[in-house]
Amino acid sequence: MILSALALAVSQAPAASQEAPICQRELVVLGAGQDAGAPQIGNADDDGPRLLPSSLAVIDRENGQRFLFDASPAISEQLAMLDAIAPPKDGLGLDGIFLTHAHIGHYLGLAYLGREAAGASNVPVYAMPRMAEFLRTNGPWSQLVSLGNIELREMTADGFVVTSDEFGVLPFSVPHRDEYSETVGFVLMTPDRRAIYLPDIDSWEAFLDQENGEPEALVAGIDYLFVDATFYDDDELPGRDMSKIPHPRVIETMEALKQLTASDHAKVHFIHYNHTNPIRDPDSAESREAKAKGFNIARRGDRFCLD
């Protein structure tokens, strides 16, 4: 279980920094929106801030490696942004893509590794067993495998993926709509710092029932928590039954974590927000409220040191 694994992984770490750092291992937010981004299909007149689907990158300068967490439909623009920060050694410069699950914002970008686009060679794609089988047996993903554009590497829940002596990834199971694959979150670990990427979850209640723990325990052993913020509250989609779209609301998450210290509040970064979510606008009352309570809202281009 993730909470017990985190307990074993806890160590003292420096205070978090919001600066754009130059460090040996760096986390970059490549996108913070829900799967379809914004403007979203059918909303061409949307004049709010543009959103790219949620995705993180980790740059390991010491080992000359770059890792992607989720392959979104905006992968071309997101990799261009990553290239501007840390140019690739050659080709795409991807030493691993870690997939959380098979919903459109999290894996469709793999298609751009194929013969119609990058024509990539053996890019390591880390996936859980059902996710890997889905990619092997369904086109066009199966063609990526058969042509050697990607090399599938299966993960297990709570099984560390060690990429070097200085960086590793721990997948953990998450309750979510699992039509085609499992859903996982990731703990990103260096000797000094730890970040959790948890873009999709049905509810805190289901997650904590699975983990047999409290929300505070999720934050205790880490430095950054990038957590599902799809909707702000239950009034966001008029005319639709939002109980059929399970995600913890931002106001619910802030309430669940209100007993944390100010320093723990600052570890929380809301991500994966829908085009309708008012925190999309940095100047909205809802964004100001979250900030006033000590929480952060992930924005494309945010950068964090992991050492």
Side-chain angles (χ1 to χ4, degrees), residues 8 35 78 89 106 122 135 142 148 179 181 186 203 215 241:
L8 292 174
D35 299 45
Q78 289 172 326
K89 293 176 296 185
H106 303 267
N122 297 315
L135 296 172
S142 56
E179 300 95 337
S181 75
F186 294 115
S203 69
D241 181 358

Side-chain angles (χ1 to χ4, degrees), residues 64-165:
Q65 295 177 313
R66 308 191 315 171
F67 300 96
L68 200 62
F69 293 84
D70 280 337
S72 91
I75 190 171
S76 298
E77 184 174 348
Q78 289 172 326
L79 281 184
M81 175 185 165
L82 180 60
D83 290 350
I85 296 170
K89 293 176 296 185
D90 53 71
L92 294 179
L94 289 175
D95 297 281
I97 300 175
F98 290 81
L99 302 178
T100 56
H101 63 302
H103 287 163
I104 66 168
H106 303 267
Y107 81 106
L108 289 192
L110 292 179
Y112 290 88
L113 304 182
R115 64 183 355 165
E116 299 87 350
S121 178
N122 297 315
V123 174
V125 173
Y126 294 87
M128 295 293 288
R130 278 187 64 206
M131 180 86 224
E133 183 65 12
F134 176 78
L135 296 172
R136 285 192 197 97
T137 57
N138 291 276
W141 326 110
S142 56
Q143 182 172 273
L144 299 174
V145 177
S146 64
L147 294 180
N149 301 128
I150 65 174
E151 176 188 312
L152 292 175
R153 299 185 181 182
E154 290 193 17
M155 304 181 293
T156 59
D158 303 323
F160 279 99
V161 177
V162 179
T163 66
S164 71
D165 289 343

